[in-house]
Amino acid sequence: MKLFWKAFSVLHRFFDIIIHTLFRIAYFGKRDELPPINNLLLLSSATSLATKIRKKKLKSVDLVNLYISRIKEVNPLINAAVNFRFEAALEEAQAVDELIACGLKTEEELERATPFLGVPLSVKELIAVKGMPFTAGLVTRKNVRSPYDAETVKLMKAAGAIPLATTNISELGMWYESYNRVYGRTCNPYDTNRSPGGSSGGEGSLIGAAASVIGIGSDIGGSIRMPSLFNGVFGHKPTPEVVSNFGSYPSSGEREFVPCLSVGPLCRYATDLIPVMKVLSGKNYSLLNLELPVKMKELKVYYLEDVGNHVMFTKVDSDMLNAIHKVLNHFGNAYKIVPKKLEFPSLKYMYLMWASFISSCKGPTFSDELSEGKGKINFKLELLQWIFGQSRFTFPAIVLGMTEKSVIEGSDHYLKMLDDLKRELIMTLGDDGIFFFPSHPTVAPHHNEAIFKPFNFSYTAIFNVLGFPVTQCPLGLGRENLPVGIQVVAAPYNDRLTLSVAVELEKVFGGWVSPSKIVE
């Protein structure tokens, strides 16, 4: 039997290579170049921009106009932003400039009450922004507009941020490519032949293209972290039940928190992560102790390069392995820390643990949500209609709808395995340990390539069901000039560790790399 599975793994690896090669051939020579960046303000962090606005060195109207122009330049190529509130945003920016000009509040008062005053913001489309389309990628919701702001949007607005646009997603946020029948397909700014990831792919793409500086996404299986990896930006999945889910779609009903689902920030600069998290965590701010300093030399460092040779997952490629090794070398050289490799054989079953936990949570099925609770969908008919280009749904949504009942439903075996893994990891990490883990087996795949590698998202998804905070950190570009990166994991409520490590890695390795030429 072992010989059989070894042979099967070899064939699986060969299949992955063939598929990737065929996609490279199919897309050869079709890449679009993004317009150059010709204003250095587009290379400033959100916190530094807010400081300039408070000090009257920059007008919010000018900054908002700059980002509107950048969106108009790049969006025809990447289709990341799908709804716009430019006119309202300019009116809000004008009000900010008038508030600052009148001098009623000091700089310190403005910083304390509104740390992002006058700074543009983008928001994932399935997170409610008052008056904006709120489709979640469903054709049946294409005329729905939100009558309210999600709690996270409300908090960012109260902190002075100005929403400019909402960004593309996958249907109901349940696939790791951002494509739907309402808005079409989003492209990766580094290579428009490639996926930006999902389901916060529009956010990742827009921020990676320097057309947004900070954004709000959500993550149930890696939906913040995969787009952050593929588009070369930072993203944080907070500890569950810290940041409110209210105002996300599918609705969580009267529950403010949902197991596995976390709302969190995406940004180009790691220095913005903690300030944004202070705002997003709202009344739960004290749970994370974000003000406590983190001393790098006192951290315990653990890592794992892959989950072993398993037939469900693509082999972790050399770009991703090199990213892990250079981070480990840094901690060894700079802080004399000897990283310890962990061994968790149960991680080979991380997809099954994720699927078991998701199906054990009481709530509507994916099929129920696709139909909006209005009867059953005939997925066989939808598949036939899809073949002729007539279905309301994308192929991944149809397949998931057809197969979700066959997925493990609350398997006690895998749930126990998950509990054991969580307990062991918490004991290992404690309150001063970090765990480096691959973000994904590969760099950004080509459009539709993920269909042939459906379980690779498990490298991020396992931490949703474990309930651990994770920060995705960019580490430059790999062989194909596509972003590489790493996940930084900590025990629950130790978000400050992963966020501080992100700042450290940005200082050492540079963080985000512009996909556009910079004209000074």
Side-chain angles (χ1 to χ4, degrees):
M1 184 59 72
K2 286 184 179 180
L3 186 61
F4 169 79
W5 284 114
K6 187 173 182 179
F8 193 87
S9 295
V10 171
L11 288 173
H12 180 249
R13 173 63 175 156
F14 183 68
F15 174 79
D16 280 342
I17 293 172
I18 293 296
I19 288 295
H20 185 63
T21 302
L22 290 174
F23 272 95
R24 289 190 70 178
I25 293 171
Y27 282 107
F28 182 76
K30 299 179 181 178
R31 177 175 175 171
D32 294 314
E33 297 289 337
L34 262 61
I37 293 172
N38 52 22
N39 190 318
L40 296 185
L41 283 173
L42 292 172
L43 305 179
S44 297
S45 68
T47 47
S48 66
L49 291 169
T51 299
K52 286 183 173 72
I53 290 171
R54 289 193 299 269
K55 291 182 177 295
K56 302 180 183 179
K57 295 180 178 179
L58 172 65
K59 288 189 175 182
S60 178
V61 165
D62 293 337
L63 180 63
V64 169
N65 266 318
L66 175 62
Y67 269 97
I68 289 172
S69 296
R70 181 63 179 172
I71 290 172
K72 289 179 177 179
E73 278 186 329
V74 302
N75 210 53
L77 299 175
I78 59 176
N79 189 37
V82 291
N83 299 297
F84 313 94
R85 58 185 308 276
F86 294 159
E87 187 175 333
L90 286 169
E91 290 175 0
E92 291 162 15
Q94 182 63 41
V96 167
D97 292 335
E98 290 172 1
L99 171 66
I100 292 172
C102 75
L104 288 177
K105 293 185 179 182
T106 66
E107 285 182 35
E108 292 75 17
E109 288 173 330
L110 290 171
E111 182 177 12
R112 187 164 53 250
T114 51
F116 291 101
L117 186 62
V119 175
L121 171 75
S122 51
V123 182
K124 183 177 184 176
E125 200 263 14
L126 52 71
I127 296 174
V129 177
K130 187 175 181 179
M132 296 288 280
F134 193 36
T135 72
L138 296 180
V139 171
T140 53
R141 289 178 57 87
K142 65 181 180 181
N143 295 319
V144 174
R145 288 180 178 265
S146 176
Y148 56 83
D149 284 322
E151 181 63 21
T152 47
V153 174
K154 192 183 301 182
L155 289 168
M156 287 301 293
K157 281 185 173 181
I162 299 174
L164 273 189
T166 58
T167 53
N168 206 15
I169 51 174
S170 57
E171 284 166 300
L172 294 175
M174 288 300 286
W175 181 240
Y176 73 99
E177 178 154 13
S178 293
Y179 168 66
N180 57 69
R181 295 292 191 185
V182 181
Y183 301 119
R185 187 185 307 281
T186 297
C187 298
N188 190 303
Y190 292 85
D191 183 346
T192 52
N193 299 322
R194 304 281 184 144
S195 169
S199 60
S200 308
E203 273 304 301
S205 179
L206 197 70
I207 294 171
S212 177
V213 62
I214 49 173
I216 306 174
S218 58
D219 191 316
I220 197 170
S223 293
I224 288 174
R225 288 160 290 151
M226 282 185 289
S228 296
L229 167 68
F230 294 165
N231 298 284
V233 301
F234 291 89
H236 182 65
K237 183 199 83 66
T239 298
E241 303 191 11
V242 170
V243 177
S244 174
N245 295 324
F246 178 77
S248 299
Y249 194 90
S251 172
S252 55
E254 296 180 355
R255 294 177 296 166
E256 185 175 9
F257 302 111
V258 180
C260 312
L261 176 63
S262 293
V263 176
L266 295 88
C267 52
R268 265 181 286 137
Y269 300 101
T271 48
D272 288 331
L273 285 170
I274 289 179
V276 175
M277 275 301 300
K278 286 180 180 178
V279 174
L280 294 181
S281 54
K283 61 188 178 184
N284 294 321
Y285 166 71
S286 61
L287 294 175
L288 300 183
N289 296 310
L290 294 175
E291 301 287 0
L292 288 180
V294 175
K295 296 180 180 179
M296 294 293 138
K297 64 181 180 180
E298 295 179 2
L299 290 175
K300 295 184 296 186
V301 176
Y302 303 93
Y303 73 99
L304 193 57
E305 295 164 307
D306 57 46
V307 298
N309 195 15
H310 195 279
V311 296
M312 296 187 82
F313 314 120
T314 302
K315 183 179 176 62
V316 177
D317 71 21
S318 59
D319 276 346
M320 304 306 288
L321 292 175
N322 289 338
I324 293 177
H325 292 155
K326 71 179 184 179
V327 169
L328 297 177
N329 288 338
H330 166 67
F331 276 87
N333 295 332
Y335 300 109
K336 310 306 178 188
I337 295 173
V338 180
K340 182 179 179 182
K341 185 175 182 179
L342 297 180
E343 298 291 344
F344 292 116
S346 61
L347 282 173
K348 289 184 178 182
Y349 307 99
M350 55 191 180
Y351 169 74
L352 300 175
M353 287 188 276
W354 179 85
S356 295
F357 189 92
I358 292 291
S359 60
S360 72
C361 297
K362 297 186 182 300
T365 64
F366 179 71
S367 300
D368 292 336
E369 296 290 4
L370 277 181
S371 68
E372 298 184 81
K374 300 173 184 177
K376 293 186 177 181
I377 297 171
N378 185 334
F379 285 105
K380 291 181 180 178
L381 178 59
E382 290 291 342
L383 180 60
L384 181 63
Q385 291 175 324
W386 177 84
I387 292 172
F388 293 98
Q390 300 300 311
S391 176
R392 298 170 291 168
F393 308 114
T394 60
F395 180 72
I398 294 170
V399 172
L400 180 54
M402 293 176 69
T403 60
E404 68 175 332
K405 288 185 178 179
S406 64
V407 173
I408 300 170
E409 297 186 0
S411 164
D412 291 340
H413 174 68
Y414 293 110
L415 290 175
K416 183 179 183 305
M417 189 180 289
L418 180 66
D419 285 341
D420 291 343
L421 176 61
K422 182 173 183 176
R423 184 165 49 252
E424 188 175 355
L425 255 179
I426 288 176
M427 288 178 60
T428 300
L429 295 177
D431 289 326
D432 58 357
I434 55 170
F435 179 36
F436 291 119
F437 193 70
S439 312
H440 199 75
T442 68
V443 295
H446 295 89
H447 295 305
N448 294 319
E449 189 176 353
I451 291 171
F452 298 92
K453 303 169 183 181
F455 304 113
N456 282 350
F457 80 98
S458 304
Y459 272 82
T460 48
I462 185 61
F463 297 108
N464 291 83
V465 291
L466 284 170
F468 286 28
V470 189
T471 305
Q472 166 58 40
C473 301
L475 292 167
L477 306 181
R479 301 184 314 276
E480 299 177 89
N481 287 318
L482 293 168
V484 297
I486 195 169
Q487 290 186 96
V488 187
V489 184
Y493 301 102
N494 283 298
D495 299 52
R496 66 189 181 90
L497 300 185
T498 69
L499 296 170
S500 296
V501 168
V503 174
E504 171 78 5
L505 296 182
E506 181 178 49
K507 288 178 182 175
V508 176
F509 299 110
W512 171 76
V513 176
S514 175
S516 301
K517 292 179 180 178
I518 298 172
V519 180
E520 297 187 23

